[in-house]
Amino acid sequence: MQDLKKAPIGIFDSGIGGLTVAKAVIDALPHENIIYFGDTARVPYGIKSEETVRAYALEITRFLLNKGVKMILIACNTVSASAKEEIIQAAGDIPVLDVITAGTRSAVQMPDHQNIGVIGTLGTVNSRAYVESIHAFDTTIKVNQQACPLLVPLAEEGWIDNDVAIQTLHHYLDHFDDSGIQTLILGCTHYPLFKETIPSVLKNKDVKIIDSAESIAASAKQKLTEMDLLNSEGGNFQCYVSDRPQRFHELAERFLGRELTTAVEVVSLDK
Ligand code: DGL
């Protein structure tokens, strides 16, 4: 049991955006060892078919299992939308948590949750995974979705509050003004970067913003506590990518909220 406590938590995403989840996990569980995988050779997933995303996600799952992880966090909303069940099956006894389930749980726990907005990639929105996940709690909840594909490249450029970002947010979010949403789920790894800007764009300033990164970190803490698998001695953070480690390193701070001090290793999953 002691060894399993020291085993790392595996977190993965299509690229760099999942570092928003890693940040939330490090904040909530500073003594855990973490292995992060970003599929930088094949990002973005949000515009790819479900079959392709599923195949990529299973390769990454096998990589993390080979690293001996004690838990897997699917940090990518697009993967959560299309491959969650397959990953759970592949992981066997290792618990798997995903951002969609975690974000949904936080949203439906809000006092005002009868009308929920969801923003995400085209893949996530088209899959209707958030709609199904929310309706599994309560079928009477109104869910209003909007795909915001341009927000991913804007976040990577660091354009999170300039004129272009604000105009783009207006383009995507203005229709929510007449929809009466009380809660808005940030259903994409990159969107927490716009957390401060979004309320300035929405007409209703009381809309509650749900950051799935914080939600999944809280769920991971709860699950590890229940399983008596909390580590009190770790704190290593290792990053693997499938391409361009230098760019990952350069962009990491923006998503992680701190400098990435360890080296980023490149791995090829098909070997
Ligand atoms: N990580 C993806 C998500 O959360 C966004 C980037 C992509 O399209 O791969 O949906």
Side-chain angles (χ1 to χ4, degrees):
M1 184 61 111
Q2 197 50 39
D3 281 350
L4 197 52
K5 283 186 180 182
K6 288 183 186 156
I9 298 174
I11 303 178
F12 78 94
D13 178 43
S14 54
I16 193 148
L19 286 179
T20 54
V21 170
K23 172 184 191 290
V25 174
I26 293 168
D27 288 346
L29 296 161
H31 302 298
E32 293 295 336
N33 297 317
I34 294 171
I35 289 184
Y36 181 90
F37 183 89
D39 199 1
T40 48
R42 303 188 289 199
V43 69
Y45 282 8
I47 51 167
K48 297 202 165 71
S49 71
E50 289 204 352
E51 292 71 25
T52 299
V53 170
R54 223 172 271 145
Y56 292 169
L58 285 172
E59 285 179 9
I60 301 167
T61 302
R62 283 191 284 274
F63 169 79
L64 293 175
L65 292 172
N66 285 337
K67 290 277 176 199
V69 296
K70 64 179 174 186
M71 169 181 266
I72 293 178
L73 303 185
I74 310 173
C76 180
N77 288 262
T78 308
V79 171
S80 307
S82 45
K84 182 179 87 174
E85 293 310 324
E86 289 80 357
I87 295 168
I88 290 173
Q89 227 179 348
D93 291 341
I94 304 296
V96 176
L97 306 183
D98 72 284
V99 271
I100 293 187
T101 307
T104 298
R105 198 169 296 141
S106 295
V108 300
Q109 278 166 2
M110 287 288 161
D112 293 326
H113 65 252
Q114 277 312 311
N115 193 339
I116 297 178
V118 178
I119 53 175
T121 64
L122 282 166
T124 299
V125 166
N126 289 342
S127 75
R128 296 180 59 80
Y130 269 105
V131 180
E132 283 165 24
S133 177
I134 290 166
H135 284 167
F137 279 92
D138 182 350
T139 50
T140 67
I141 297 175
K142 262 175 92 178
V143 186
N144 218 299
Q145 299 195 97
Q146 175 66 48
C148 308
L150 287 179
L151 296 189
V152 167
L154 285 179
E156 298 208 351
E157 278 305 313
W159 289 17
I160 53 175
D161 53 7
N162 65 9
D163 289 352
V164 178
I166 288 172
Q167 270 191 38
T168 309
L169 285 168
H170 271 298
H171 174 79
Y172 289 135
L173 305 183
D174 279 358
H175 82 100
F176 283 128
D177 287 344
D178 300 322
S179 69
I181 58 160
Q182 302 147 315
T183 300
L184 178 66
I185 300 178
L186 307 182
C188 173
T189 48
H190 287 61
Y191 300 175
L193 270 69
F194 299 95
K195 213 158 63 174
E196 312 297 326
T197 317
I198 287 174
S200 70
V201 169
L202 292 172
K203 197 152 80 184
N204 177 2
K205 306 292 176 217
D206 294 330
V207 169
K208 303 280 178 306
I209 309 288
I210 304 289
D211 177 351
S212 330
E214 285 170 9
S215 312
I216 196 170
S219 301
K221 187 172 183 176
Q222 190 185 343
K223 187 80 185 166
L224 290 177
T225 308
E226 278 166 20
M227 296 178 78
D228 192 22
L229 282 181
L230 282 175
N231 190 356
S232 54
E233 297 166 20
N236 293 333
F237 183 51
Q238 258 179 298
C239 287
Y240 296 90
V241 294
S242 47
D243 199 9
R244 301 190 69 193
Q246 191 51 41
R247 176 166 163 82
F248 184 91
H249 217 286
E250 282 161 18
L251 293 184
E253 191 171 347
R254 194 170 297 152
F255 291 83
L256 203 54
R258 71 200 79 189
E259 201 191 333
L260 183 59
T261 48
T262 50
V264 179
E265 221 174 290
V266 187
V267 287
S268 171
L269 292 179
D270 49 15
K271 288 201 179 121

